C-alpha cells in the first residue's frame, strides 16, 4: 500500500462554520432588503447615493489593498451603511468622498480590518457632517415616483446642489426640535417618514437584525441595552418635563434603530464581553437622549456611538469575567502577597 | 434526563456515529511491536532487557524510575530486536524497545498469581497498580497509582470517574462502559479501597444513554457509586470542568483536584485496574478507536501497546485515496502524526484519519473582536487578548492574564471566525515561558 501524502497541522482539527468572510457577507445580504426599502421610499436617488458611497469605500480599500482585504466583505458593509445614513438629495461626489474617508481615515490608518477604534461608516459620516453640514441635513420632500430624482444628485464636484432645484421637508426629529411638533408613531414604524435613506424602514431593520442575532453574527445585548436605556431615560425625563417626546417617538425616530442594530453592534468597535455590551449600549442610550434633548442637532446616534467606541478598550478591561479558579478581582492584600 | 454541566465551552460535531455502535474486537498481533520507555507523564522507565533477549507477553521490559514513573511491559512474545531511538507521537523520538513478535507463539502470558484486592492494604494496591504499569488512559497518561496515594494531609471524599469522552470521533470509553461495565465497577472498588473513600461518581455525557444504563444496572449494591448524566459539551471531560459539573466545586488556579477533595480517573483506567485485578496481566493492550472518513473500516479495537500505526491502519482496511492527515487522539487536542512507524502508546485514545477536505488549512484573517472566544473559553480567559500578546511576544503580561490556567482545549481556535491559531500560540507561549523561567526558578 502506498500511503497518500500526509499533512501536519495544529489542533484543533475541527472548525466552527462561521468564518469572518461568511459573517461579513451575511451582514451584506441582510442590508440588501434595507437598500430595497430605501429605493421604494426615496426612489432612484437612493440607489445613486448608496452606490457612490460604496464606490468610495471600495476604491479606497482597493488602493490600500496590500493584504488582499477586498474579498472579506467588510468594505462593502461600510459602504452600504454609510450610504444608508445619507439623505437622498446628496450630491454624489460628496457621498463618494465620504466613502473614501470612511475606509482611509476610519479603518486603514489604524491598520485595517480589526484594528480600527471607530466605526468606519460613522467616521465617514462625521466627516461629511463637518464638511457639508447643509447638504447632510437637507431632506427632500416625498417623491411622486421612484424614478423621480430627489434633488440635484449630479451636482458637479466641489459644487453644492442648487437649493432651488429641490423641495424640502423636515424629519420628525427636526420637527420636534425646531417646531415642537410631534409626529405620529405609525408612519415612523412603517418607514413613510422623512430621514436618511436607510434609517426609516424600522420594521425591516429589526427583522434583519433579529436574523443576524439568531445566527449570532450580532450580539442582541447591545441593541436591547440601547433601546431599554433610551426608553427608560426618556420616560424619566418625561415625568419632569411633559413637553418632551415620548419614549416610542424617541425609539422610532432618527437613526436610532439603524445605529443600534447595525453600527453599535459592529464587532470590531464594540466590547467583547457581555457585561461590556450592556454598559456600552447604556452609554449610547444616555448620550442619544442627552444630545437630542439638549444638543444643537436634532440627531445624535452617530456621535453617541463614536464617543462610546472610544471607551471600548477600557470597558473590555474592566468587564473581564472572573477567571475560573481565581478569587476574582484581587484585593490589595492579595496583590501584595502575589508581589512578595 | 437532567444533566450536569459547566459554563461556556463549544459544541463541535460529534462524528461518533462511525464507531459508537461497533463492538470492540481484538486486533491480530503485528509482526513487530515498538515500546517507547516514555509513555507516561513523569520520568521515563529504565530498560532492563537487552538485544536478543526472549520475552513473553507481560514480561517487564523497563522498570519505573522513581515514584512518578511507570514500567513498560512486553505486549507480545518474541525477541528483543533492538533498543534504539524511535519516532514518538509527540513529534520527538524516545528510547524504544523493538520486539520481533514470535509468529508461532500463542501469546499466552506466563502464569501469575492474581492478588485478592480485598486482602491488600492501600500501599499494596498502589504498588500493584504501579507494577502493572497502569497510566491514565484518557490521553494524558499520568501514572494512575500516584493519584491513588495522595499526600497525608489531603482529605479526599470522592472519586470521580471520567466517562464524558467529549472529544469528537472517539468511542473508546463509550464501548468500554457498554461492554465491560463490571470491570469499571471492579476498578472503582479497588480505587475506593486504596483511597479509603466510600463515594464514587461516574460522569457520562448523556449522548451515551446505553453506557449510562449499563453502568447503572451493574452498579454494586454495597457501595455508593452513582452514574451522573452530563451535558454534551466540549470540554466536559476536562478535569476541572468535570469536578465543577459533578460536585459544584471549583479547583483553585494552579491547584490539583485533590485540593477540593476529589480524585479523578478516566473510566478506561478504572476498567484497566479492574482487568489487572481480574487477570493479573499488566497494561499490555488498550482499546483504541480507529476512525475517520479517511479510513476504510472504522473500528474499536483492542490493540497491543507498541503496534505501529501502519499495521493498525492496514488492519482497518487502509486509508482512502483522499486521506490527508492522521491524528493520535481526538480532533480537538490530538497530535498530527505523519510517520507511519509511530507506535500506539498506553495513552493513545484513538487514531483519526481526516480526508483532504476536512484538513484545516484555511487562511487567517485579522481578529475582528467578535468575542466568540471569550464565550467559548471554559476557564473564562480572554483568548483574543492573550493571542495578541502572544504575537507580540509579551509573555510576562500573558502570565498576568492567567496563561497558566489555559489547558489548551482548543475551544477558542474552534470558534474563531478569523481562523487565528490561538491554542497553538498559547502552547508556544507556555514553552517560551518555561524556557525563560525553568521549573523551580521563580519568575
Amino acid at each position: 500500500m502506498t500511503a497518500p501524502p500526509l499533512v501536519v497541522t495544529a489542533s484543533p482539527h475541527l472548525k466552527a462554520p462561521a468564518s469572518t468572510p461568511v459573517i461579513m457577507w451575511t451582514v451584506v445580504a441582510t442590508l440588501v432588503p434595507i437598500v430595497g426599502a430605501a429605493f421604494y421610499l426615496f426612489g432612484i436617488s437612493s440607489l445613486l447615493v448608496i452606490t457612490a458611497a460604496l464606490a468610495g469605500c471600495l476604491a479606497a480599500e482597493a488602493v490600500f489593498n496590500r493584504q488582499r482585504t477586498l474579498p472579506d466583505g467588510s468594505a462593502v458593509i461600510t459602504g452600504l451603511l454609510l450610504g444608508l445614513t445619507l439623505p437622498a438629495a446628496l450630491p454624489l461626489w460628496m457621498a463618494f468622498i465620504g466613502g473614501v474617508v470612511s475606509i482611509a481615515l476610519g479603518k486603514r490608518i489604524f491598520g485595517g480590518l480589526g484594528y480600527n477604534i471607530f466605526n468606519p461608516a460613522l467616521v465617514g459620516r462625521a466627516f461629511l457632517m463637518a464638511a457639508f453640514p447643509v447638504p447632510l441635513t437637507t431632506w427632500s420632500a416625498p417623491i411622486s415616483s421612484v424614478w423621480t430624482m430627489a434633488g440635484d444628485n449630479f451636482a458637479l464636484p466641489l459644487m453644492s446642489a442648487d437649493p432651488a432645484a429641490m423641495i424640502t421637508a423636515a424629519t420628525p426629529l427636526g420637527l420636534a426640535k425646531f417646531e415642537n411638533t410631534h409626529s405620529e408613531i405609525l408612519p415612523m414604524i412603517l418607514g413613510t417618514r422623512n430621514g436618511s435613506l436607510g434609517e426609516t424602514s424600522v420594521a425591516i431593520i429589526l427583522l434583519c437584525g433579529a436574523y443576524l442575532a439568531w445566527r449570532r453574527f450580532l450580539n442582541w445585548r447591545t441593541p436591547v441595552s440601547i433601546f431599554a436605556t433610551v426608553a427608560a431615560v426618556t420616560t424619566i425625563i418625561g415625568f419632569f418635563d411633559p413637553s418632551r417626546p415620548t419614549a416610542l417617538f424617541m425609539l422610532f425616530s432618527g437613526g436610532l434603530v439603524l445605529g443600534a442594530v447595525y453600527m453599535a453592534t459592529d464587532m470590531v468597535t464594540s466590547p467583547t464581553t457581555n457585561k461590556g455590551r450592556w454598559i456600552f449600549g447604556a452609554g449610547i442610550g444616555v448620550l442619544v437622549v442627552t444630545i437630542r434633548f439638549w444638543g444643537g442637532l436634532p440627531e445624535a446616534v452617530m456621535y453617541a456611538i463614536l464617543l462610546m467606541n472610544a471607551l471600548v478598550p477600557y470597558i473590555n478591561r474592566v468587564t473581564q469575567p472572573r477567571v475560573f479558579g481565581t478569587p476574582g478581582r484581587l484585593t490589595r492584600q492579595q496583590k501584595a502577597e502575589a508581589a512578595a | 434526563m437532567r444533566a450536569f454541566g459547566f459554563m461556556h465551552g463549544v459544541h463541535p460535531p460529534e462524528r461518533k456515529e462511525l464507531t459508537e455502535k461497533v463492538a470492540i474486537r481484538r486486533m491480530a498481533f503485528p509482526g513487530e511491536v515498538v515500546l517507547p520507555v516514555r509513555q507516561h507523564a513523569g520520568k521515563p522507565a529504565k530498560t532492563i532487557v537487552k538485544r536478543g533477549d526472549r520475552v513473553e507477553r507481560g514480561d517487564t521490559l523497563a522498570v519505573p524510575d522513581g515514584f512518578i514513573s511507570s514500567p513498560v511491559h512486553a505486549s507480545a512474545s518474541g525477541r528483543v530486536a533492538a533498543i534504539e531511538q524511535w519516532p514518538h507521537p509527540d513529534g520527538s523520538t524516545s528510547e524504544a524497545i523493538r520486539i520481533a513478535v514470535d509468529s508461532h507463539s500463542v501469546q499466552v502470558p506466563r502464569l501469575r498469581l492474581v492478588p485478592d484486592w480485598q486482602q491488600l492494604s492501600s500501599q499494596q494496591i498502589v504498588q500493584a497498580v504501579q507494577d502493572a504499569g497502569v497510566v491514565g488512559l484518557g490521553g494524558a497518561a499520568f501514572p494512575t497509582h500516584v493519584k491513588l496515594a495522595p499526600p497525608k494531609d489531603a482529605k479526599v471524599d470522592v472519586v470521580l470517574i471520567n466517562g464524558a469522552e467529549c472529544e469528537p470521533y472517539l468511542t473508546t470509553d463509550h464501548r468500554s462502559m457498554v461492554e465491560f461495565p463490571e470491570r469499571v465497577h471492579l476498578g472503582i472498588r479497588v480505587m475506593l479501597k486504596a483511597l479509603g473513600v466510600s463515594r464514587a461518581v461516574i460522569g457520562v455525557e448523556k449522548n451515551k444513554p446505553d453506557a449510562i444504563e449499563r453502568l447503572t444496572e451493574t452498579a454494586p449494591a454495597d457501595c455508593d457509586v452513582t452514574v451522573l448524566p452530563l451535558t454534551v459539551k466540549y470540554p466536559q471531560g476536562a478535569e476541572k470542568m468535570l469536578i465543577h459539573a459533578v460536585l459544584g466545586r471549583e479547583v483553585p488556579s494552579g491547584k490539583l483536584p485533590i485540593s477540593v477533595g476529589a480524585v479523578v480517573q478516566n473510566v478506561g483506567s478504572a476498567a484497566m485496574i479492574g482487568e489487572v485485578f481480574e487477570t493479573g496481566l499488566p497494561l499490555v493492550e488498550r482499546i483504541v478507536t480507529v476512525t475517520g472518513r479517511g479510513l476504510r473500516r472504522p473500528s474499536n479495537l483492542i490493540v497491543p501497546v507498541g503496534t505501529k500505526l501502519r499495521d493498525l491502519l492496514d488492519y482497518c482496511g487502509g486509508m482512502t485515496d483522499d486521506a490527508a492527515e492522521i491524528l493520535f487522539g481526538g480532533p480537538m487536542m490530538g497530535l498530527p502524526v505523519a510517520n507511519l512507524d509511530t507506535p500506539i502508546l498506553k495513552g493513545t485514545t484513538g487514531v483519526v484519519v481526516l480526508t483532504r477536505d476536512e484538513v484545516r488549512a484555511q487562511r487567517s484573517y485579522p481578529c475582528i473582536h467578535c468575542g466568540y472566544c471569550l464565550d467559548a473559553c471554559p476557564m473564562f480567559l480572554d483568548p483574543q487578548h492573550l493571542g495578541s500578546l502572544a504575537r507580540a511576544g509579551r509573555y510576562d503580561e500573558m502570565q498576568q492574564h492567567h496563561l497558566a490556567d489555559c489547558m489548551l482545549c482548543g475551544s477558542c481556535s474552534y470558534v474563531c471566525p478569523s481562523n487565528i491559531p490561538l491554542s497553538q500560540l498559547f502552547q508556544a507561549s507556555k514553552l517560551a515561558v518555561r524556557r525563560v523561567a525553568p521549573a523551580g526558578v521563580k519568575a
Side-chain angles (χ1 to χ4, degrees), chain A:
Chain A
M1 185 191 85
T2 52
L6 294 172
V7 299
V8 171
T9 63
S11 66
H13 303 272
L14 291 173
K15 182 77 196 69
S19 71
T20 295
V22 166
I23 295 174
M24 296 294 174
W25 286 108
T26 309
V27 174
V28 169
T30 63
L31 286 172
V32 170
I34 302 172
V35 172
F39 174 63
Y40 174 77
L41 294 167
F42 295 97
I44 187 70
S45 287
S46 66
L47 295 189
L48 292 173
V49 170
I50 293 169
T51 309
L54 184 60
C57 285
L58 293 181
E61 185 82 7
V63 167
F64 297 107
N65 193 22
R66 260 182 247 152
Q67 291 141 349
R68 297 175 183 276
T69 46
L70 210 47
D72 66 30
S74 63
V76 180
I77 297 182
T78 303
L80 291 178
L81 281 180
L82 173 66
L84 290 171
T85 60
L86 300 175
L90 192 73
L92 298 185
W93 67 271
M94 291 181 185
F96 183 85
I97 287 182
V100 171
V101 169
S102 287
I103 295 295
L105 299 184
K107 193 169 86 171
R108 280 311 323 183
I109 62 165
F110 292 100
L113 175 65
Y115 297 99
N116 49 305
I117 299 167
F118 300 103
N119 185 310
L122 292 180
V123 170
R125 189 175 191 277
F127 167 80
L128 290 177
M129 195 68 192
F132 316 111
V134 175
L136 258 279
T137 49
T138 303
W139 314 99
S140 56
I143 48 165
S144 49
S145 131
V146 291
W147 305 113
T148 316
M149 299 286 287
D152 198 359
N153 287 123
F154 292 105
L156 286 175
L158 308 183
M159 296 289 170
S160 279
D162 177 9
M166 65 189 284
I167 312 154
T168 60
T171 63
L173 269 179
L175 288 172
K177 184 151 200 102
F178 301 121
E179 289 163 40
N180 214 11
T181 333
H182 291 202
S183 312
E184 279 185 60
I185 298 294
L186 187 64
M188 293 171 55
I189 296 174
L190 294 175
T192 54
R193 55 126 165 139
N194 216 342
S196 300
L197 295 173
E199 70 183 27
T200 64
S201 38
V202 170
I204 295 175
I205 297 171
L206 288 175
L207 275 178
C208 291
Y211 172 75
L212 288 177
W214 174 69
R215 294 282 305 268
R216 294 198 60 227
F217 293 171
L218 72 75
N219 198 299
W220 58 269
R221 290 170 184 86
T222 310
V224 168
S225 171
I226 294 174
F227 295 145
T229 311
V230 167
V233 176
T234 309
T235 311
I236 292 168
I237 292 174
F239 282 128
F240 299 102
D241 184 357
S243 70
R244 293 290 185 189
T246 62
L248 270 183
F249 175 85
M250 288 291 279
L251 288 178
F252 293 116
S253 59
L256 187 75
V257 173
L258 183 70
V261 172
Y262 276 99
M263 315 267 195
T265 56
D266 170 29
M267 288 171 169
V268 176
T269 57
S270 64
T272 51
T273 60
N274 285 335
K275 206 194 283 175
R277 290 178 181 120
W278 287 113
I279 296 171
F280 179 72
I284 291 172
V286 170
L287 284 172
V288 164
V289 179
T290 312
I291 299 174
R292 277 188 185 177
F293 282 3
W294 294 290
L297 294 167
E299 180 52 299
V301 174
M302 172 176 79
Y303 292 119
I305 294 176
L306 287 172
L307 280 169
M308 289 308 291
N309 281 162
L311 291 181
V312 165
Y314 179 73
I315 295 175
N316 279 340
R317 203 163 70 234
V318 298
T319 56
Q320 284 301 318
R322 183 182 64 86
V323 171
F324 188 94
T326 62
R329 194 166 290 184
L330 293 178
T331 62
R332 197 164 293 166
Q333 192 190 344
Q334 283 169 318
K335 273 186 191 157
E337 277 169 19

Side-chain angles (χ1 to χ4, degrees), chain A residues 1-21 23-24 67-69 71-72 111-116 215-219 221 266-274 277 316-317 319-328 337-340, chain B residues 12-13 15 168-169 240-241 244 250-253 314 318-321 323-327 331-334 336-338 340 354 356 358-360 362-363 365-372 374-375 378-382 384 402 405 410 413-419 423-424 442:
Chain A
M1 185 191 85
T2 52
L6 294 172
V7 299
V8 171
T9 63
S11 66
H13 303 272
L14 291 173
K15 182 77 196 69
S19 71
T20 295
I23 295 174
M24 296 294 174
Q67 291 141 349
R68 297 175 183 276
T69 46
D72 66 30
L113 175 65
Y115 297 99
N116 49 305
R215 294 282 305 268
R216 294 198 60 227
F217 293 171
L218 72 75
N219 198 299
R221 290 170 184 86
D266 170 29
M267 288 171 169
V268 176
T269 57
S270 64
T272 51
T273 60
N274 285 335
R277 290 178 181 120
N316 279 340
R317 203 163 70 234
T319 56
Q320 284 301 318
R322 183 182 64 86
V323 171
F324 188 94
T326 62
E337 277 169 19
Chain B
R15 309 263 167 91
Y169 287 100
K240 290 182 176 182
M241 308 302 95
H244 190 61
E250 206 170 298
V251 179
S253 169
D314 281 350
M319 288 188 277
T320 59
D321 294 334
E325 185 167 22
I326 304 174
L327 311 174
M332 295 300 284
M333 288 184 78
V337 171
L340 296 180
L354 301 176
R356 191 146 296 285
E358 289 173 320
V359 169
R360 190 186 153 174
Q362 303 118 325
R363 81 173 260 198
Y365 291 88
C367 171
I368 55 168
H369 305 275
C370 59
Y372 289 179
L374 280 93
D375 283 341
M379 299 305 288
F380 288 74
L381 304 173
D382 183 351
Q384 58 106 9
H402 300 276
D405 287 292
S413 305
Y414 171 77
V415 293
C416 180
S418 285
N419 207 28
S423 55
Q424 192 183 7
K442 199 157 184 214

